[in-house]
Amino acid sequence: MSYNTILYETAHGVLTITLNRPDKLNAATDELLSELADAFKKAGRDAEVRAVILTGAGRGFCAGQDLGAVQSRYEDDDAAIAFGEHLRHSWNIVIQRMRALPKPILCAVNGVAAGAGMSLVLASDLRYASDKASFVQAFVNIGLIPDSGSTWTLPRLIGPTRALEMMLTGRKVTAQEAEAWGMINGIFAGEALQDEVRAIAERLAAMPTRAIGLIKQATDYAADSTLNEALEYEADLQDLAGRTQDHREGVTAFIEKRKPIFTGE
Ligand code: T3D
């Protein structure tokens, strides 16, 4: 699949996906969502890709669903049904592929993240923002409810009190507030953001990729399980981690007092 609305660039084991509709703050059309879903599928299959950066072109990260496209739905009498169907076939696939990707996703939030654009941030594994970035649960401002996983991810990250305040008021939250609340991992000055996040991604790309994938899987599972279920699941996944080349390399390098060379196998 060739891409018109995103950029897909790989270097040093790191894939950078850039949402690329800067004049609309990278608001997502069906074309963009289909390309994004395809990009995450491709990233999963490409052994060269060991970490992914998701970012936006221009002054915004992503303003959520393209509202021009939403408006065109009003011509359809069944518009109410179309929303659910649309989510199931577009945004939900993207979010599911992000969570299922057995590689770390680092979000470089270069500007405003609104509506389901904010859901993309929340579905990432590590979140870094420009000091100029902001976050808006914009759904309520247009009479919708948070979607694309926001009702699940946001309260888990910042707690129900702050999450509901964001969702009910639709107010813009600054990067500084987001960091203080634990929504993001760190803030960088605007011009330094991309370089700083690339450096973190390159470090992660040189780590034991399969263990990282299994850590994602285990923590997502644990979010919805009892302690006993989580203990069992950890034991199952540790079986898999213990069979990787990178595990052997890590132990051997430790014993030999040298730096490990992880290949992602
Ligand atoms: O079925 C389904 O798929 C339902 C799914 C829904 C998921 C959702 O994401 S619902 C929420 C959709 N998003 C929004 O409601 C956000 C709308 N945008 C805004 O509130 C503001 O633009 C921002 C707070 C994000 C940024 O404000 P500001 O002042 O920095 O920028 P701006 O001037 O409003 O926007 C700049 C341009 O981007 C402007 O275009 P123009 O006039 O220069 O040609 C604006 O129209 C465009 N833009 C921004 N957001 C969207 C958009 N165009 C289309 N869709 C957008 N979402």
Side-chain angles (χ1 to χ4, degrees):
M1 182 178 200
S2 62
Y3 300 137
N4 298 315
T5 60
I6 64 170
L7 305 176
Y8 184 104
E9 297 155 310
T10 311
H12 311 295
V14 177
L15 162 66
T16 302
I17 300 173
T18 307
L19 309 174
N20 195 25
R21 297 185 71 227
D23 52 328
K24 297 293 174 197
L25 303 179
N26 304 312
T29 55
D30 284 355
E31 183 181 32
L32 185 143
L33 290 169
S34 149
E35 291 180 3
L36 194 53
D38 187 77
F40 281 117
K41 189 204 267 182
K42 205 158 121 186
R45 292 177 177 168
D46 186 348
E48 298 298 308
V49 172
R50 293 174 62 189
V52 178
I53 296 173
L54 179 63
T55 192
R59 75 172 176 90
F61 171 71
C62 177
Q65 176 65 39
D66 186 291
L67 294 180
V70 169
Q71 195 180 36
S72 65
R73 287 186 215 163
Y74 307 146
E75 290 149 24
D76 177 356
D77 288 343
D78 253 346
I81 296 168
F83 277 80
E85 276 309 291
H86 184 258
L87 282 172
R88 289 186 190 97
H89 292 107
S90 56
W91 286 100
N92 290 6
I93 308 275
V94 171
I95 300 297
Q96 285 161 346
R97 287 195 184 161
M98 289 175 74
R99 293 315 313 149
L101 186 73
K103 302 170 185 184
I105 302 173
L106 297 85
C107 199
V109 190
N110 52 300
V112 65
M118 182 171 162
S119 304
L120 292 176
V121 179
L122 301 175
S124 301
D125 300 303
L126 294 173
R127 295 168 286 279
Y128 299 97
S130 142
D131 53 359
K132 307 277 183 322
S134 55
F135 302 87
V136 197
Q137 284 283 304
F139 308 90
V140 72
N141 299 336
I142 54 164
L144 292 182
I145 70 157
D147 61 30
S148 310
S150 268
T151 59
W152 194 91
T153 46
L154 191 58
R156 280 173 169 78
L157 288 173
I158 64 173
T161 306
R162 286 170 173 146
L164 261 182
E165 193 230 340
M166 284 193 78
M167 290 173 181
L168 297 181
T169 65
R171 91 164 164 91
K172 198 181 266 189
V173 162
T174 63
Q176 292 71 18
E177 280 177 287
E179 187 185 36
W181 293 354
M183 192 201 298
I184 57 174
N185 297 85
I187 300 181
F188 295 109
E191 55 285 2
L193 175 73
Q194 302 297 348
D195 285 349
E196 295 282 357
V197 175
R198 194 169 310 112
I200 300 167
E202 286 182 11
R203 282 203 295 280
L204 281 162
M207 290 178 69
T209 309
R210 292 191 52 202
I212 286 177
L214 293 169
I215 292 169
K216 277 183 74 162
Q217 199 177 323
T219 50
D220 277 6
Y221 178 85
D224 271 339
S225 67
T226 63
L227 173 61
N228 282 343
E229 288 164 345
L231 287 169
E232 239 343 274
Y233 202 64
E234 286 169 0
D236 285 345
L237 297 194
Q238 197 69 294
D239 248 346
L240 301 177
R243 287 170 218 265
T244 62
Q245 290 294 328
D246 281 344
H247 162 62
R248 287 196 177 206
E249 168 62 7
V251 173
T252 309
F254 178 81
I255 302 288
E256 293 174 357
K257 298 190 186 306
R258 63 172 172 81
K259 213 168 165 278
I261 300 167
F262 296 120
T263 60
E265 295 300 316

